[in-house]
Amino acid sequence: MRIASAVFASLVLAVSAAQAGETAKVAKPDLNKGKAIVEQQCAACHGADGNASANIYPKLAGQHPEYLVKQLSNFKVQPGQEKAQRENAVMAGFAAGLSDEDMRNVSAYLASQTQKPGTARNKDTLALGEKIYRGGIAEKKVPACAGCHSPNGAGIPAQYPRLGGQHAQYTEAQLVAFREGVRKNSEQMSKIAARMSDREMKAVADYIAGLR
């Protein structure tokens, strides 16, 4: 019995060690491989360092890696789904060719880059944008953006994305997409956007661009 118990214990330890090894592999992405993929496939729109120059594309530099992995996954049609949660013909094509490991490597590399700061450009709506971001819209039951995305727009790792410094045009477009049901990968954001007017979206998007 003692021999059998010792053998069983050894097997348990071996399995645990193997599982720990697998976890370690998954937890340590390769930044160099991620950089290579970004330079080959992503740089044209998002910049080689994740700082998109065109305001219709998002800045990805400094974004939380877990969020980036989720978004790339959402561009793919998952088992049991008829459509992807984020429908975009261009991104669907790129995401389809990425393995889970590729997505982790790309996301880790982009997260390691420094985001270039943005600026709010519309003085006429700055006060409204700040009010919505910091206090929400009480009469419409729109919560303050800062509650999830933090006062300076840094977000909360693995939960809510970084927004500060993002191109205003891109942020506004995503709010509209949530409201219109084009983007379906956040029920929370779909409900919030459904209560906002075009003017409110434009104002808060512009304010967010200046956060740092």
Side-chain angles (χ1 to χ4, degrees), residues 38-210:
V38 168
E39 291 178 343
Q40 292 168 11
Q41 301 185 40
C42 315
C45 295
H46 299 289
D49 63 349
N51 282 289
S53 56
N55 57 19
I56 61 172
Y57 301 119
K59 295 179 185 179
L60 302 179
Q63 186 58 268
H64 307 309
E66 301 90 348
Y67 177 77
L68 292 175
V69 169
K70 179 182 183 297
Q71 300 312 302
L72 285 169
S73 298
N74 289 164
F75 284 117
K76 297 183 178 185
V77 178
Q78 301 298 323
Q81 294 180 345
E82 293 184 2
K83 296 181 179 180
Q85 289 182 299
R86 292 192 69 174
E87 294 183 64
N88 181 295
V90 174
M91 281 306 304
F94 285 121
L98 298 176
S99 66
D100 290 347
E101 181 181 5
D102 290 335
M103 292 192 293
R104 288 192 295 271
N105 291 340
V106 165
S107 298
Y109 169 72
L110 290 169
S112 72
Q113 301 304 295
T114 301
Q115 185 200 73
K116 293 179 180 178
T119 56
R121 300 180 182 279
N122 194 334
K123 295 180 179 179
D124 295 335
T125 63
L126 194 60
L128 175 60
E130 181 177 16
K131 177 184 176 183
I132 295 171
Y133 190 86
R134 300 193 176 281
I137 310 172
E139 63 273 21
K140 292 186 176 182
K141 296 183 179 179
V142 171
C145 310
C148 293
H149 299 286
S150 77
N152 67 348
I156 301 175
Q159 294 185 57
Y160 301 105
R162 175 191 183 114
L163 297 183
Q166 188 58 264
H167 292 307
Q169 186 172 338
Y170 176 78
T171 300
E172 181 186 355
Q174 296 314 298
L175 287 170
V176 172
F178 277 123
R179 184 180 64 189
E180 303 300 325
V182 176
R183 182 170 172 177
K184 308 178 182 72
N185 65 338
S186 173
E187 183 178 355
Q188 181 182 16
M189 281 307 306
S190 293
K191 289 180 178 179
I192 291 171
R195 303 177 187 130
M196 297 179 69
S197 68
D198 290 345
R199 181 170 181 269
E200 290 162 346
M201 288 181 178
K202 190 178 290 292
V204 77
D206 186 63
Y207 176 76
I208 284 170

